[in-house]
Amino acid sequence: PYAFKVSAAYPNPFNPTTRISFAIPADTDVSISVYNLQGREVVSLANQSYDAGYHSVIWNADTHSSGVYFVKMVAGSYVNTQKLMLVK
């Protein structure tokens, strides 16, 4: 990949798992966290170094309640946030 990119989570809305795919153009530390509507972090999906290329993480929200969540990816100076909807 030539640039940082986060694909739309699939499926969304989801129950109980969704996949977040992302691309990074160079080896870098990546942090992916899920937040609730109050802005509290409910789970950290990734917090490690990734090689350049295409990757994905899966969130199993089996223990969380239905509602709207936000997934935030930080990789170097790149920051992206997207909305997820968990429907049980």
Side-chain angles (χ1 to χ4, degrees), residues 6-7 9 14 18-22 29-37 39-48 50 56-61 64 68-75 78-84:
V6 178
S7 301
F14 69 100
T18 188
R19 177 184 300 271
I20 297 115
S21 299
F22 59 97
D29 291 335
V30 175
S31 170
I32 300 175
S33 299
V34 177
Y35 297 86
N36 63 16
L37 281 175
R40 293 187 187 99
E41 183 178 327
V42 294
V43 66
S44 175
L45 299 176
N47 194 9
Q48 64 189 47
Y50 282 89
S56 65
V57 293
I58 294 176
W59 180 32
N60 184 342
H64 299 281
V68 176
Y69 294 87
F70 295 94
V71 61
K72 178 180 178 183
M73 175 180 155
V74 178
Y78 175 82
V79 178
N80 182 288
T81 304
Q82 64 177 261
K83 182 170 69 170
L84 300 174

